[in-house]
Amino acid sequence: MSEDNDKDGGEDTPKRSGNIQSVSIATRFLNILANAAEPTALGVIARKAGTGSPTAHRYLQSLVKEGLAMQDPQTGFYDLGPTALSIGIGALKRIHPVEIAARYMKELASGFAASAGVAIWTERGPTVVRWYRSSLFSISSVGLGDVLPVDNSACGLVFQAFLPESQIDMARKLQPVHFRGKRAPRDQVDEVRKTCWSELTDHLLPGITGQAVPVFDAQQEIACVMTTVTNLGLMLKPEDQRALFECAKKVVRETGGTDRFAIE
């Protein structure tokens, strides 16, 4: 039996006819690395993949050779490699609502005392894929690539309002309890769904407010979330506090989504 058909990770040499299945197994290892919170030991990867360590080692070494994975020479732990990261970035660039939202977030950060960005939903929760720091407001605990709390962030509440509960629960299980926060009351999530607006203060840093609004695609599904981090005390004019809201309405017109915003 080839290793491609060996569910318990046997050591037989793979058949040449098993190339397609080998790709499927290699993808399994890549997904494990992508969903890991940190570089991971060989034994842990093998266990999650349902293979033996020798089988996992051969696949991972092949991925390392192609740049899809990398191995720390000191610890021996594995992580995603530069080629995998390039593929991921290339895929992100093709998500048009993200690019449209990012353009407006960059403009907002340059003119207001708020750092701004765009987050997409991943298996681990809201993930920041674009982030622009404001020269008028530099204190921020958020950065590019960060995963945000499911329950303890304005961004997380917006995703909760428009994604299936099963998806939210899966991410909630992957996030540590102290990180994801206390589950929001149902009426709070319902209000976010009604207004398309979420705002939380003192959740990530004392005195700091996070704001978030959804971006819908042409199929009226949530594509990403636009979010800001600021100190409301730096918002000198009423229109400053509405800047994110106004950006969202502009993005909707470009993405073809429906203007559901109820805040006036």
Side-chain angles (χ1 to χ4, degrees):
M1 180 183 295
S2 76
E3 70 177 10
D4 300 323
N5 295 314
D6 188 357
K7 295 183 180 180
D8 61 2
E11 297 307 307
D12 298 322
T13 302
K15 297 178 181 179
R16 293 182 182 276
S17 61
N19 287 343
I20 299 301
Q21 195 166 8
S22 295
V23 171
S24 177
I25 296 174
T27 301
R28 190 192 313 171
F29 288 113
L30 283 173
N31 282 330
I32 292 170
L33 294 177
N35 290 318
E38 57 188 3
T40 309
L42 174 65
V44 174
I45 296 172
R47 183 171 65 253
K48 290 184 177 181
T51 69
S53 292
T55 297
H57 179 264
R58 284 200 295 272
Y59 273 96
L60 288 167
Q61 287 301 309
S62 294
L63 294 173
V64 168
K65 182 179 179 180
E66 300 302 325
L68 292 167
M70 58 187 297
Q71 184 180 23
D72 189 307
Q74 294 183 334
T75 65
F77 288 7
Y78 291 90
D79 203 349
L80 289 176
T83 301
L85 297 177
S86 295
I87 293 172
I89 292 173
L92 288 175
K93 289 181 178 178
R94 288 166 174 77
I95 304 176
H96 298 300
V98 170
E99 295 305 318
I100 294 171
R103 175 161 31 95
Y104 283 101
M105 289 292 90
K106 184 176 183 180
E107 180 181 345
L108 186 151
S110 67
F112 293 89
S115 293
V118 182
I120 63 172
W121 184 260
T122 68
E123 290 182 352
R124 295 168 59 194
T127 302
V128 179
V129 294
R130 300 289 186 276
W131 191 251
Y132 307 99
R133 297 189 183 277
S134 170
S135 60
L136 303 174
F137 177 78
S138 59
I139 300 175
S140 173
S141 60
V142 180
L144 185 65
D146 283 352
V147 176
L148 301 176
V150 171
D151 295 308
N152 195 33
S153 69
C155 201
L157 294 185
V158 170
F159 276 116
Q160 285 191 51
F162 296 101
L163 285 178
E165 191 170 343
S166 59
Q167 286 184 248
I168 303 299
D169 286 340
M170 287 179 62
R172 189 178 277 124
K173 292 176 181 178
L174 291 175
Q175 293 192 350
V177 176
H178 69 277
F179 175 77
R180 68 175 181 250
K182 184 178 179 181
R183 187 176 299 209
R186 174 56 58 186
D187 58 352
Q188 184 178 7
V189 177
D190 290 342
E191 182 66 15
V192 172
R193 185 179 301 112
K194 176 183 176 181
T195 62
C196 290
W197 175 265
S198 179
E199 182 174 301
L200 292 178
T201 300
D202 297 331
H203 59 303
L204 295 179
L205 283 174
I208 302 303
T209 293
Q211 299 175 331
V213 294
V215 174
F216 302 106
D217 60 22
Q219 293 180 299
Q220 315 312 322
E221 296 178 346
I222 187 170
C224 58
V225 169
M226 299 164 65
T227 185
T228 60
V229 175
T230 187
N231 182 329
L232 291 183
L234 298 177
M235 297 295 193
L236 304 179
K237 299 176 291 185
E239 53 265 34
D240 290 351
Q241 295 191 31
R242 292 177 53 88
L244 177 61
F245 182 70
E246 295 303 326
C247 281
K249 301 186 79 168
K250 294 176 182 177
V251 171
V252 161
R253 288 194 286 269
E254 290 196 38
T255 61
T258 300
D259 185 346
R260 308 184 192 181
F261 303 107
I263 294 179
E264 298 298 337

